[in-house]
């Protein structure tokens, strides 16, 4: 698809010491990161972490309190309008017009971003073709499933050939099948060279789509890097799951936790399960615990959820 191209590998977004305060509450507390041209970058964090706030500021929809945000060298605080022209935004609310067809929604959006009638018509055709949505063109929005609406909203964001696409939780609320279709769509965009900033609280989504992730919590950036590197650094190659059976008393639980502490393992308790990770290592060695009658030990590959648990002691989703 036709979109602005700039030199590959150069930073297209620069976020520097970003702070956002709502009265005396600090929602974003000094976050810095850069996104390179062509990259898919994920903001990963639980509800309330500050993801939406950060993305609204980057999109020129909300003023920042302190710090600086540049998109392709444009300061969003000083030239919000200019910045908005080169950013495509997909919010959590699709904001499609139910009275119009798919094609009309795209065309109207085209006029809004400054295309002529003819250009908007041509671009709509190009966008629908690109996403294999041509046969949906004349369908009324209100008859579409939630997943299809999301795909149309993403298609619409491409009407202005943005240099940066900002998407707030693109698959939240979708069933697994629709989620897969949206992932395919985002993969297509990525392949065509579009730079994407997205937020998610699904770690699988981040692992599947993102070249790099920033893990944020309570307005702070906790980690930033390539998903596999971040996982290995904090959670090792494999995580152990200790499943305690019903016969396990609190004393047994305490013994297990004490052994883990002695071994220097990170662990978190979720009900009757204890998830154990060995930072930088292969996998936690739990020979002593395996011998306990009340405990069953199994292993699985470590993931970003483990990283979040290790860093915060909490799960990504409450
Ligand atoms: P979610 O996944 O729920 O969207 P998030 O990571 O995007 O979470 P934000 O929506 O950025 O989080 O919110 C960060 C914090 O700022 C939350 O504690 C929220 O309650 C607070 N907040 C957001 N908008 C406002 C506002 N307009 N006024 C006051 N507080 C706000």
């Amino acid at each position: 698809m036709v979109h602005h191209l700039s030199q590959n590998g150069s930073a297209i977004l620069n976020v520097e010491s970003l702070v956002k305060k709502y009265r005396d509450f600090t929602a974003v507390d000094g976050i810095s990161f850069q996104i390179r041209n062509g990259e898919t970058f994920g903001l990963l964090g639980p509800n309330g972490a500050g993801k939406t706030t950060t993305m609204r500021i980057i999109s020129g929809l909300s003023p920042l309190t302190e710090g600086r945000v540049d998109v392709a060298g444009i300061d969003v605080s000083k030239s919000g309008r200019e910045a908005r022209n080169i950013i495509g935004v997909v919010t959590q609310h699709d904001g499609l017009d139910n009275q119009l067809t798919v094609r009309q929604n795209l065309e109207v959006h085209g006029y809004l971003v400054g295309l002529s009638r003819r250009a908007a018509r041509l671009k709509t055709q190009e966008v629908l073709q690109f996403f294999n949505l041509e046969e949906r063109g004349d369908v009324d929005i209100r008859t579409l499933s939630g997943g299809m609406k999301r795909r149309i909203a993403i298609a619409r964001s491409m009407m202005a050939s943005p240099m940066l696409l900002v998407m707030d939780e693109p698959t939240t609320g979708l069933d697994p099948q629709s989620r897969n279709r949206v992932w395919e769509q985002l993969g297509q965009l990525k392949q065509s060279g579009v730079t994407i900033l997205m937020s998610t609280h699904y770690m699988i989504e981040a692992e599947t789509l993102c070249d790099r992730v920033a893990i944020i919590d309570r307005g702070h950036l906790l980690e930033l890097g390539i998903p596999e590197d971040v996982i290995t650094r904090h959670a090792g190659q494999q995580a152990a799951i200790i499943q305690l059976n019903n016969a396990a008393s609190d004393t047994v639980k305490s013994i297990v936790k004490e052994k883990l502490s002695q071994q220097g393992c990170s662990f978190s308790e979720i009900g009757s399960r204890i998830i154990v990770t060995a930072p930088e290592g292969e996998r936690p060695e739990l020979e002593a615990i395996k011998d306990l009658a009340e405990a069953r030990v199994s292993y699985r590959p470590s993931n970003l959820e483990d990283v979040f648990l290790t860093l915060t002691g909490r799960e990504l989703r409450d």
Side-chain angles (χ1 to χ4, degrees), residues 16-318:
E16 215 177 291
S17 311
L18 179 64
V19 174
K20 175 71 178 190
K21 292 187 175 141
Y22 294 110
R23 295 171 190 273
D24 50 5
F25 175 73
T26 306
V28 177
D29 197 3
I31 284 183
S32 301
F33 63 92
Q34 293 190 331
I35 302 185
R36 291 189 281 269
N37 195 38
E39 214 175 14
T40 298
F41 190 95
L43 293 179
L44 187 61
N47 289 335
K51 306 182 296 294
T52 303
T53 302
T54 302
M55 303 215 300
R56 281 180 55 81
I57 294 168
I58 292 168
S59 312
L61 299 172
S62 170
L64 52 77
T65 311
E66 284 169 40
R68 192 186 158 102
V69 176
D70 291 331
V71 183
I74 299 168
D75 183 335
V76 297
S77 302
K78 295 199 180 111
S79 319
R81 198 190 165 80
E82 224 183 308
R84 280 195 296 276
N85 281 340
I86 56 169
I87 300 174
V89 178
V90 182
T91 62
Q92 284 186 43
H93 315 282
D94 297 330
L96 297 165
D97 191 331
N98 273 320
Q99 312 293 324
L100 303 178
T101 65
V102 168
R103 193 182 304 280
Q104 288 166 337
N105 263 278
L106 266 56
E107 285 182 7
V108 167
H109 191 75
Y111 312 146
L112 288 178
V113 300
L115 300 182
S116 68
R117 267 181 178 275
R118 186 180 141 74
R121 243 196 339 265
L122 289 173
K123 187 71 187 178
T124 298
Q125 195 52 30
E126 182 192 326
V127 167
L128 290 177
Q129 249 169 18
F130 179 80
F131 290 117
N132 291 321
L133 291 167
E134 282 164 291
E135 79 280 15
R136 304 285 179 156
D138 299 316
V139 169
D140 278 351
I141 291 290
R142 61 170 171 268
T143 66
L144 297 176
S145 68
M148 185 52 75
K149 279 187 191 164
R150 194 62 57 88
R151 288 171 61 197
I152 303 296
I154 294 169
R156 185 188 53 180
S157 71
M158 293 311 295
M159 286 297 293
S161 314
M163 291 181 79
L164 173 68
L165 190 54
V166 178
M167 286 189 290
D168 199 1
E169 300 188 5
T171 66
T172 292
L174 301 186
D175 59 83
Q177 200 182 351
S178 305
R179 175 169 303 160
N180 271 323
R181 298 307 302 274
V182 170
W183 285 358
E184 280 169 25
Q185 191 184 14
L186 298 183
Q188 245 179 312
L189 279 176
K190 181 182 163 53
Q191 268 196 346
S192 78
V194 176
T195 310
I196 300 175
L197 168 64
M198 58 183 280
S199 68
T200 182
H201 49 235
Y202 299 116
M203 51 156 191
I204 298 170
E205 181 159 286
E207 283 173 22
T208 308
L209 299 176
C210 298
D211 299 309
R212 289 191 304 146
V213 291
I215 299 181
I216 60 173
D217 187 35
R218 296 178 173 150
H220 294 274
L221 198 153
L222 303 181
E223 243 303 358
L224 190 154
I226 296 165
E228 298 84 60
D229 294 351
V230 169
I231 293 167
T232 316
R233 198 174 312 146
H234 293 280
Q237 304 280 344
Q238 293 209 300
I241 298 168
I242 304 174
Q243 180 72 54
L244 295 169
N245 68 23
N246 292 334
S249 61
D250 285 347
T251 320
V252 172
K253 234 179 182 178
S254 306
I255 293 172
V256 168
K257 288 195 275 185
E258 204 181 307
K259 280 191 201 297
L260 292 174
S261 299
Q262 282 167 359
Q263 278 183 246
C265 291
S266 311
F267 61 91
S268 21
E269 229 180 306
I270 302 165
S272 60
R273 295 163 80 195
I274 301 174
I275 297 177
V276 191
T277 52
E280 307 273 2
E282 281 285 304
R283 62 186 226 177
E285 286 314 325
L286 303 174
E287 295 312 318
I289 292 163
K290 275 182 185 154
D291 293 340
L292 290 171
E294 295 91 342
R296 193 161 50 85
V297 177
S298 57
Y299 289 93
R300 59 150 172 76
S302 303
N303 57 43
L304 285 171
E305 185 86 41
D306 299 324
V307 175
F308 193 78
L309 263 168
T310 309
L311 291 175
T312 67
R314 290 178 292 117
E315 286 180 88
L316 265 172
R317 282 191 280 166
D318 339 288

